[in-house]
């Protein structure tokens, strides 16, 4: 039996044409951290608010340990929620804020005091109890907010982009704190974010949500190796997309035929996706022929844009492999860095290059990157330089990060 | 573009208020101390204050005005909270309700006063309705609400006028970020009543306090409404002062001035106290807003 | 929390509607009555009061005087108070609280307390018994409402827009008319409306400063009430609140819901 279950959960606002959360199914095991990842406005927050009881679902059910909680008012549900803004009550001290939930339950003052001190230690804010809530820094505020949510010992802790207002360094520190806390406290966590990196770092499993639907629910590794759809692949650093068609387990496109183990059998249009580091050089005449169109020096490697058969590709080589523009090379694609994805139906698959994984899933950033890659030449690639530099592909990222 | 100095921006306002308002207030103090008197050789005399403070007509009036101001303010706050808490939820007909809620704000106090007069005198409209339903046998058995010693009519007029004023301030607050705090409190286990007592009310306090100061000051010093609805004894302070000021006996003028000054002192002291309280609360609120 | 609580709503709404609408009834009925003896529920209907109001030159001239006075007061208040409101809303400076209390004083000190001294002083500087004197006196009492309301609006206003405009070559006047005023417009309108309403309903102040020279509508109304001519007094009351309600209707989109918060009426 799963610990937290969402069953056909749907929310349609009165004035909206389409539901903002569509028929959501999700099973979360006890003690797991599941990250609900998705761009702004995809219904993540609405989902959390329904679990917390702050928004009424239009249909569907929410079960905690097998029991439906939909009819239970917010204050009696075994969940607590941390919001993006710390929402510390301005008229209370830090200790009063943390002890709030226990006071509401009518607990004895002495016990509250002891538990508050324990929580202060746990979030590394010893001695801050008597401060006013408003005398804290952003990071401290969010830690108090976390302590305040945890002190009531919820079965499920909901976090709604709790660190998105903090700067990069603090965000890392806060993620570390969450992972530490997780070891000490038996709590199941549902964490909402649009930050792909944050999701990968924290999650036991990621539920990728787009337009009110969960597109893929897997562990982080799978998103980097076997994305289901084109958009998922884009979010997880797959660079090249080439229209293809699938018959059984065989995917055919202008670059040749590919057979993938573990690819679901399917007949119809697909999209071949290729990581930039997939290409390896072959002796002249072997493999497939490619013509260098532009290059960007990236320090440890060089990113090239090449014409290859009918397709345009973006590929990377170590920086000792220097080619001139117009030069002809022969390459082979490593099978484990190539994959086939569905085209998301409404989006017709065309040949495109999307350099570098997005930092977060704001729709605008990915659109912007696509546009950048429409043009040719050096200038357009410079914009992508800092991003590409920061994380180059999913595999290297996991090593880079502490 | 060069920045204009702050004091230059404040100067016109400060000059106008000083010359046309503060100097007259000082002049009133001097008059009350018999400063410009030709008849007396004494430079300064506190006689007017002594006379006033020892007369029961003044102390009764003071008690009357303070009581009326206090009761109307507290009643208005309570009604304002209840109505605003109701109107913050969306429901069919809310737009109309909001319009009705704001309707009284621009209507002058004494027009509401006139209406109360026509409704609640012993021969007023309500009395007629009571009579028609057989609840009373004659106009004289209708309770004295207007011109009564307890100032009930005055209080009703003030409350009708004040509660939307305080209420709109509360409502505008309830429609902003305060809702997030309430949701947070709910997820932490606070029920409806607890959320109100521990979160909503403390966070509304600055708004309530500020609008209540204005309302209290108005009720305390109003001339027009007690003129229409007040009793002949005790009189509201403003009425007492005005009558002493327009008395044919010119010697009662310093007494009028003394009453005026005592009213000013009471109100200004109250406002400064409230402002000190408000300022600490506002500083908290301002820091909070700054972070959002 | 998500559940609607309509059961407690209905009595509250009933009280609200009764409290606001019932007081309108006697005023409307009396204004169309000729005589209304006890215990009749309905008066003897007659348009006498309205005929009287529209034929009596003193009432018509009082309407004109009120419009002139309140418009002048609102304009003057805006010109004097605008810079102060901007300073209080956008800047931090030493003694700000004291300045705020100082500006608030006319709104809280009872008119009766100030008006006796004002009469004496205005007499000495030749302002009493004149339109100018009444306008200046009322301006003092409308300033706090306009300034505090507008200051609240300026608190949510980003001064950087003005800086951008001036770096793009806009002079002071253009910055004011093309950038500042459009971006604070709703709040500006509500604040001016408040100043207008405060001026429009001044009775005691106009009576004692204007003397016999300035006869505004409130003076006319109180005279009618003193003579107990209720039908005419009620007709005048309706005329009296009509322009205010029209103004409220025109600006209501700035007042309702979010507009209230932005319009700064909550700070008044």
């Amino acid at each position: 039996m799963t610990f937290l279950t969402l069953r056909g959960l749907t929310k349609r606002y009165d004035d909206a044409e389409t539901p903002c959360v569509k028929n959501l199914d999700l099973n979360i095991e006890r003690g797991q951290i599941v990250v609900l990842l998705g761009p702004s406005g995809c219904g993540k927050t609405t989902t959390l608010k329904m679990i917390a009881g702050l928004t009424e679902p239009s249909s569907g059910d929410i079960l905690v340990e097998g029991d439906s909680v939909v009819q239970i008012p917010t204050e009696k549900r075994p969940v607590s929620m941390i919001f993006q803004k710390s929402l510390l009550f301005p008229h209370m001290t830090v200790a009063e804020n943390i002890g709030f939930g226990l006071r509401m339950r009518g607990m004895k003052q002495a016990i509250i005091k002891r538990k508050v001190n324990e929580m202060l230690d746990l979030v590394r804010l010893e001695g801050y109890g008597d401060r006013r809530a408003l005398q804290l820094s952003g990071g401290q505020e969010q830690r108090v907010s976390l302590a305040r949510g945890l002190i009531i010992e919820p079965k499920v802790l909901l976090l709604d982009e709790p660190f998105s207002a903090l700067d990069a360094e603090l965000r890392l520190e806060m993620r570390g704190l969450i992972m530490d806390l997780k070891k000490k406290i038996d709590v199941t966590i549902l964490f909402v974010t649009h930050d792909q990196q944050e999701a990968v770092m924290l999650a036991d499993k990621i539920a990728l949500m787009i337009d009110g639907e969960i597109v893929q629910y897997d562990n982080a590794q799978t998103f980097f190796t076997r994305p289901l759809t084109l958009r998922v692949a884009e979010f997880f650093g797959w660079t090249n997309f080439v229209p293809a068609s699938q018959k059984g387990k065989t995917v055919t496109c202008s670059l040749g035929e590919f057979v993938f183990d573990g690819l679901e059998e399917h007949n119809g249009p697909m999209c071949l996706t290729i990581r930039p580091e997939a290409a390896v050089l072959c002796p002249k005449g072997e493999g497939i022929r490619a013509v260098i169109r532009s290059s960007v020096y990236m320090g440890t490697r060089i990113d090239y844009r090449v014409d290859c058969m009918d397709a345009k590709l973006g590929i990377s080589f170590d920086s000792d492999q220097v080619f001139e523009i117009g030069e002809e090379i022969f390459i082979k694609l490593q099978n484990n860095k190539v994959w086939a994805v569905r085209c998301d139906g409404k989006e017709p698959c065309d040949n495109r290059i999307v350099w570098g994984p997005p930092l977060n899933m704001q729709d605008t950033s990915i659109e912007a990157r696509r546009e950048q890659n429409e043009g040719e030449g050096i200038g357009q690639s410079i914009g992508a330089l800092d991003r590409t530099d920061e994380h180059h592909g999913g595999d290297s990222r996991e090593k880079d990060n502490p | 573009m060069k920045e204009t100095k702050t004091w230059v921006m404040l100067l016109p306002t400060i000059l106008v208020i000083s010359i046309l308002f503060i100097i007259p207030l000082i002049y009133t103090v001097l008059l009350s101390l018999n400063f410009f008197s030709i008849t007396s050789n004494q430079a300064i005399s506190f006689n007017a204050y002594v006379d006033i403070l020892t007369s029961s007509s003044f102390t009764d009036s003071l008690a009357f005005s303070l009581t009326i101001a206090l009761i109307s303010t507290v009643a208005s706050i309570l009604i304002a909270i209840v109505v605003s808490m109701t109107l913050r939820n969306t429901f069919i007909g809310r737009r109309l309700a909001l319009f009705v809620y704001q309707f009284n704000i621009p209507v002058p106090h004494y027009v509401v006063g006139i209406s109360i007069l026509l409704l609640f005198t012993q021969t007023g409209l309500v009395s007629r309705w009571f009579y028609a339903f057989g609840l009373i046998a004659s106009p004289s058995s209708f309770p004295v609400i207007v011109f009564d010693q307890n100032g009930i009519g005055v209080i009703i007029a003030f409350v009708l006028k004040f509660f939307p004023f305080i209420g709109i301030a509360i409502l505008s607050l309830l429609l902003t970020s305060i809702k997030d705090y309430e949701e947070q409190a709910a997820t932490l286990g606070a029920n409806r009543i607890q959320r109100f007592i521990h979160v909503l009310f403390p966070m509304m306090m600055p708004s309530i306090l500020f609008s209540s100061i204005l309302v209290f000051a108005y009720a305390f010093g109003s001339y027009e409404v007690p003129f229409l609805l007040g009793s002949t004894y005790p009189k509201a302070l403003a009425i007492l002062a005005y009558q002493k000021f327009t008395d044919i006996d010119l010697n009662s003028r310093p007494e009028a001035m003394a009453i005026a000054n005592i009213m000013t002192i009471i109100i200004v002291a109250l406002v400064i106290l409230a402002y000190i309280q408000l300022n600490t609360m506002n500083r908290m609120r301002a820091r909070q807003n700054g972070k959002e | 929390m998500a559940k609607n609580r309509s059961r407690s709503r209905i009595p509250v709404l009933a009280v609200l509607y009764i409290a606001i609408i019932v007081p309108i009834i006697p005023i409307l009925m009396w204004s169309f009555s000729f005589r209304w003896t006890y215990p009749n529920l309905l008066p003897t209907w007659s348009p006498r009061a309205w005929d009287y109001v529209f034929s009596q030159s003193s009432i018509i001239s009082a309407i004109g005087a009120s419009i002139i006075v309140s418009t002048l007061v609102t304009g003057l208040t805006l010109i004097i108070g605008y810079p102060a409101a901007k300073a209080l809303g956008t800047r931090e400076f030493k003694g700000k609280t004291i300045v705020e209390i100082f500006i608030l004083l006319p709104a809280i000190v009872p008119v009766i307390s100030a008006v006796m001294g004002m009469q004496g002083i205005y007499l000495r500087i030749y302002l009493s018994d004149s339109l100018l004197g009444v306008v200046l006196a009322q301006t003092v009492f409308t300033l706090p409402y306009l300034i505090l309301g507008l200051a609240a609006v300026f608190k949510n206003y980003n001064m950087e827009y003005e800086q951008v405009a001036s770096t793009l070559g806009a002079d002071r006047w253009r910055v004011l008319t093309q950038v500042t005023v459009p971006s604070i417009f709703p709040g500006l309108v509500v604040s001016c409306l408040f100043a207008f309403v405060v001026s429009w309903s001044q009775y005691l102040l106009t009576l004692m400063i204007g003397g016999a020279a300035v006869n505004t509508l409130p003076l006319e109304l109180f005279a009618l009430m003193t003579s107990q001519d209720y039908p005419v007094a009620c007709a005048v009351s309706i005329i009296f609140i009509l322009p205010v309600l029209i103004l409220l209707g025109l600006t209501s989109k700035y007042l309702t819901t979010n507009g209230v918060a932005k319009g700064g009426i909550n700070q008044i």
Side-chain angles (χ1 to χ4, degrees), chain A residues 137-389:
Chain A
S137 69
Q140 290 169 334
E141 277 191 11
Q142 238 3 320
R143 277 189 271 167
V144 174
S145 178
L146 207 54
R148 184 175 63 175
L150 283 171
I151 201 169
I152 56 174
E153 297 171 12
K155 287 179 177 167
V156 180
L157 182 67
L158 306 168
L159 296 112
D160 185 13
E161 312 220 9
F163 311 139
S164 61
L166 307 178
D167 62 51
E169 205 175 320
L170 264 175
R171 268 204 303 272
L172 275 180
E173 195 187 315
M174 293 301 289
R175 287 174 208 159
L177 179 68
I178 292 264
M179 307 211 319
D180 272 6
L181 286 176
K182 189 68 202 59
K183 285 176 202 144
K184 294 173 189 161
I185 300 172
D186 171 36
V187 64
T188 306
I189 294 178
L190 184 56
F191 191 107
V192 155
T193 185
H194 62 255
D195 184 330
Q196 182 240 78
Q197 197 187 359
E198 189 163 78
V200 171
M201 234 183 110
L202 287 173
D204 292 316
K205 281 181 104 176
I206 296 175
L208 189 82
M209 193 167 178
I210 294 172
D211 294 336
E213 287 172 302
I214 290 182
V215 182
Q216 189 167 359
Y217 182 43
D218 266 314
N219 60 33
Q221 193 74 30
T222 314
F223 284 91
F224 289 104
T225 54
R226 290 171 179 185
L228 273 179
T229 73
L230 196 150
R231 285 191 78 180
V232 176
E234 275 186 343
F235 288 135
F236 283 86
W238 294 77
T239 304
N240 300 288
F241 299 92
V242 181
S245 69
Q246 186 180 352
K247 197 165 191 197
K249 284 197 175 243
T250 312
V251 178
T252 314
C253 71
S254 57
L255 297 170
E257 260 184 22
F258 298 82
V259 181
F260 298 109
D261 286 338
L263 182 67
E264 216 178 295
E265 283 197 33
H266 168 78
N267 291 328
M270 283 294 269
C271 187
L272 193 77
T273 179
I274 305 159
R275 288 198 163 271
E277 66 277 14
V280 283
L281 282 172
C282 301
K284 195 171 179 179
E286 289 176 32
I288 36 180
R289 181 177 157 274
V291 181
I292 305 285
R293 285 295 167 212
S294 67
S295 69
V296 183
Y297 178 69
M298 302 295 296
T300 56
R301 59 168 214 278
I302 301 174
D303 291 344
Y304 291 100
R305 193 178 264 269
V306 299
D307 283 348
C308 184
M309 316 300 279
D310 288 339
K312 290 180 168 60
L313 297 182
I315 56 177
S316 302
F317 293 115
D318 285 345
S319 24
D320 47 359
Q321 301 280 357
V322 183
F323 301 108
E324 297 298 314
I325 289 175
E327 199 175 332
E328 188 177 73
I329 58 169
F330 289 87
I331 56 169
K332 195 174 77 186
L333 298 172
Q334 291 170 278
N335 210 48
N336 63 345
K337 286 174 179 143
V338 182
W339 186 248
V341 293
R342 291 202 305 265
C343 305
D344 297 302
K346 51 185 178 269
E347 278 181 83
C349 173
D350 50 1
N351 178 209
R352 67 170 74 140
I353 306 170
V354 183
W355 276 112
L359 252 182
N360 63 49
M361 297 194 50
Q362 307 292 3
D363 267 340
T364 47
S365 66
I366 201 139
E367 292 303 332
R369 209 182 342 267
R370 263 183 214 151
E371 272 168 12
Q372 270 176 354
N373 287 291
E374 305 278 283
E376 291 274 341
I378 304 293
Q380 38 87 28
S381 293
I382 289 171
L385 188 138
D386 50 355
R387 272 189 297 268
T388 323
D389 206 27

Side-chain angles (χ1 to χ4, degrees), chain B residues 102 105 168 172, chain C residues 186 190 193-194 247-249 251-261 263 265:
Chain B
Q102 294 169 24
I105 292 179
I168 292 293
S172 64
Chain C
V190 173
L193 178 68
F194 245 82
L247 282 177
L248 180 73
T251 56
S252 67
K253 66 174 169 182
Y254 302 135
L255 275 163
T256 38
T257 56
N258 287 333
V260 178
I265 196 177

Side-chain angles (χ1 to χ4, degrees), chain C residues 13-51:
Chain C
L13 285 182
V15 169
L16 173 67
Y17 281 102
I18 289 171
I20 305 297
I21 290 168
V22 169
I24 304 171
I25 298 170
I27 294 202
L28 273 177
M29 287 171 79
W30 269 102
S31 78
F32 286 102
S33 70
F34 181 72
R35 198 185 308 111
W36 196 356
T37 46
Y38 197 87
N40 296 340
L41 285 177
L42 293 175
T44 323
W45 299 109
S46 152
R48 175 193 74 96
W50 289 100
D51 286 345

Side-chain angles (χ1 to χ4, degrees), chain B residues 152-215:
Chain B
I152 295 173
V154 181
I155 291 172
I156 295 175
F158 279 146
V159 169
L160 284 184
K161 183 62 187 133
F162 292 157
F163 87 85
F165 182 81
I166 301 174
I168 292 293
I170 295 175
L171 185 62
S172 64
L173 194 70
L174 285 174
L175 295 175
T176 58
S177 61
I178 210 168
K179 194 175 185 310
D180 299 339
Y181 287 91
E182 201 195 358
E183 291 191 342
Q184 174 74 79
T187 65
L188 294 170
N191 63 33
R192 249 179 98 189
I193 295 159
Q194 289 174 321
R195 290 200 291 270
F196 181 79
I197 294 172
H198 295 284
V199 178
L200 288 183
F201 187 70
M203 293 187 79
M204 284 177 198
M205 261 320 277
S207 271
I208 294 179
L209 189 62
F210 189 82
S211 40
S212 303
I213 298 172
L214 292 180
V215 158

Side-chain angles (χ1 to χ4, degrees), chain B residues 2 4 110 115 127 192 210, chain C residues 5 23 38 91 172 201 267:
Chain B
K2 238 180 86 188
T4 317
Y110 45 82
S115 164
S127 168
R192 249 179 98 189
F210 189 82
Chain C
R5 293 177 295 264
Y38 197 87
R91 297 182 186 181
R172 266 164 190 269
S201 48
Q267 292 296 322

Side-chain angles (χ1 to χ4, degrees), chain C residues 181-250:
Chain C
V181 169
S183 49
I184 59 163
F185 193 69
L188 190 70
V189 170
V190 173
S191 304
C192 284
L193 178 68
F194 245 82
F196 187 90
V197 169
V198 170
S199 156
W200 185 253
S201 48
Q202 287 297 337
Y203 165 68
L204 191 61
L205 192 64
T206 317
L207 178 74
M208 289 186 64
I209 302 295
V214 184
N215 185 37
T216 55
L217 215 43
L219 268 61
E220 198 65 34
L221 184 59
F222 270 81
L224 289 163
M225 283 306 289
T226 312
S227 64
Q228 302 210 338
D229 190 345
Y230 293 154
V232 180
C234 286
V236 170
S237 292
I238 291 169
I239 293 175
F240 190 50
I241 62 175
L242 222 52
V244 177
L245 288 179
I246 290 169
L247 282 177
L248 180 73
L250 290 178

Side-chain angles (χ1 to χ4, degrees), chain A residues 49 54 74-75 79-81 83 85 87-92 100-101 104-105 134-136 141 148, chain B residues 177 180-181 183-192 194-195 198-199 202-203 284-285 287-288 291-292:
Chain A
K49 285 196 163 187
L54 297 169
T74 303
E75 60 265 25
V79 300
S80 74
M81 183 160 167
F83 294 77
K85 286 190 275 176
L87 297 176
L88 299 187
F89 303 122
H91 51 284
M92 298 179 193
F100 182 83
M104 295 305 109
R105 285 162 174 74
L134 297 162
Q135 296 170 324
L136 302 176
E141 277 191 11
R148 184 175 63 175
Chain B
S177 61
D180 299 339
Y181 287 91
E183 291 191 342
Q184 174 74 79
T187 65
L188 294 170
N191 63 33
R192 249 179 98 189
Q194 289 174 321
R195 290 200 291 270
H198 295 284
V199 178
M203 293 187 79
M284 285 162 51
R285 202 163 53 159
R287 285 210 48 189
Q288 187 64 17
K291 274 188 188 160
E292 279 170 12

Side-chain angles (χ1 to χ4, degrees), chain B residues 40 108 191 216 229 246-247 271:
Chain B
S40 159
N191 63 33
F216 183 91
L229 302 172
T246 49
D247 201 303
V271 166

